Each structure stands twice: as C-alpha cells, then as structure tokens.
Amino acid sequence: FISVTDDEEAKITVYLDGVEVTENYKLKVDKEELVELEENVITAKKVGVVAITAEVEGYDLMSTVEVTIYRPVKTMKLTSVSSTLKVGNDRQLTLTTTPSNATRTSIKFTSSDEEVATVNNNGIITGVSKGTVIITAIDEITGKKAEIKQIVK
C-alpha cells in the first residue's frame, strides 16, 4: 500500500528476494487515467486507487501494490448551530475543509471528556452530563485539526 497526493510523484522500486531489480522488469498500471507511468516513476493525476503490477523477466512471478491517490486537507474548521447542548440531545457539527474537495476519509473526531459529551466519526455529538467539552476533528494523514467548545446543560 502506497499513498500519494494528487500532484505528487512516487518512485516504484522492484525487489526480488530482497535485492533491488534495476533492469528486465515491466510495470503495468490498471487505471492509466489516474496516474502517468514513466519508467519507474508514477505521477498522480486524479484521486482514486490504482494497482501497479511488476513482472520480472525470466521469473514466473508478479507482484502488485495498491496506490491510493488523495487530495490533502490544508485547513479545517468545525462549526455548530449553537455552543450549548442539552443532556440527552444530539447535534451534527459541520466540518469545512480547504480545499472543499479534499479527501476526508482519514478524519477522526474525539471528545475531551466523554462523560460530558461523546462524538461519533460523522461529527454527531451527544450530551451525556452537564459540563464543558472540546470536540476535535483531526486528519490522520496531514495532522491538520479543528476544535470547537460545547457546553452541555
């Protein structure tokens, strides 16, 4: 598994029995619309998942690696229709990212105190008991994060 951004290059290195193969091999890409392959360097063109297969001449072996191309989050902002929430109620938080079409599959939500409020990975908070809590959204790929304070009454 390899992960690259939608404007990044990656070098593919082929190994056979722990030794780098520098000649007599072929690389094949299953989705040419997503990446450009020149010699052993791929350049990502679009977001998606592509399989790259290596074949070494003279061996009846093939190896495939999956490459995930994503658009990284540059900034994040969490908002709520209100800063207060009643015990037992739910509220959907709104997460805004730039770019707006960033890949958001690696964003996780956490609560600073789950005895006050919980949050699921869709950004829905639930008031558990009275108190103040900080809800954090973090992109596990880029490390970018956003926080919002909520008061449970």
Side-chain angles (χ1 to χ4, degrees):
F1 168 76
I2 300 172
S3 184
V4 295
T5 65
D6 63 340
D7 61 355
E8 199 172 41
E9 291 182 351
K11 180 182 176 187
I12 304 297
T13 305
V14 178
Y15 290 91
L16 180 63
D17 292 329
V19 177
E20 183 177 348
V21 177
T22 58
E23 56 187 35
N24 300 323
Y25 69 91
K26 293 179 186 175
L27 295 174
K28 295 179 187 175
V29 176
D30 72 337
K31 296 176 187 165
E32 292 180 355
E33 68 275 13
L34 298 182
V35 296
E36 180 180 312
L37 175 63
E38 189 171 322
E39 299 206 9
N40 65 337
V41 176
I42 60 166
T43 303
K45 298 191 290 189
K46 289 183 175 180
V47 172
V49 178
V50 63
I52 300 175
T53 302
E55 293 182 64
V56 179
E57 292 178 22
Y59 293 87
D60 190 25
L61 300 170
M62 288 191 325
S63 181
T64 301
V65 65
E66 189 175 272
V67 178
T68 300
I69 304 156
Y70 67 96
R71 185 164 293 118
V73 170
K74 296 194 186 318
T75 64
M76 296 173 49
K77 181 178 182 179
L78 264 178
T79 56
S80 177
V81 294
S82 174
S83 62
T84 61
L85 177 68
K86 290 184 179 180
V87 171
N89 286 1
D90 295 332
R91 173 168 304 123
Q92 175 71 58
L93 298 176
T94 301
L95 177 65
T96 307
T97 63
T98 57
S100 60
N101 61 347
T103 304
R104 295 170 55 152
T105 56
S106 62
I107 295 176
K108 303 294 182 214
F109 290 86
T110 60
S111 169
S112 63
D113 188 346
E114 292 195 347
E115 292 183 11
V116 174
T118 60
V119 61
N120 69 17
N121 276 328
N122 294 316
I124 298 173
I125 59 174
T126 302
V128 177
S129 65
K130 292 180 181 183
T132 301
V133 68
I134 302 293
I135 303 297
T136 303
I138 187 163
D139 179 358
E140 294 182 322
I141 293 174
T142 64
K144 302 291 183 186
K145 68 179 182 176
E147 296 179 337
I148 190 167
K149 181 169 92 172
Q150 294 287 278
I151 300 166
V152 180
K153 294 184 173 188

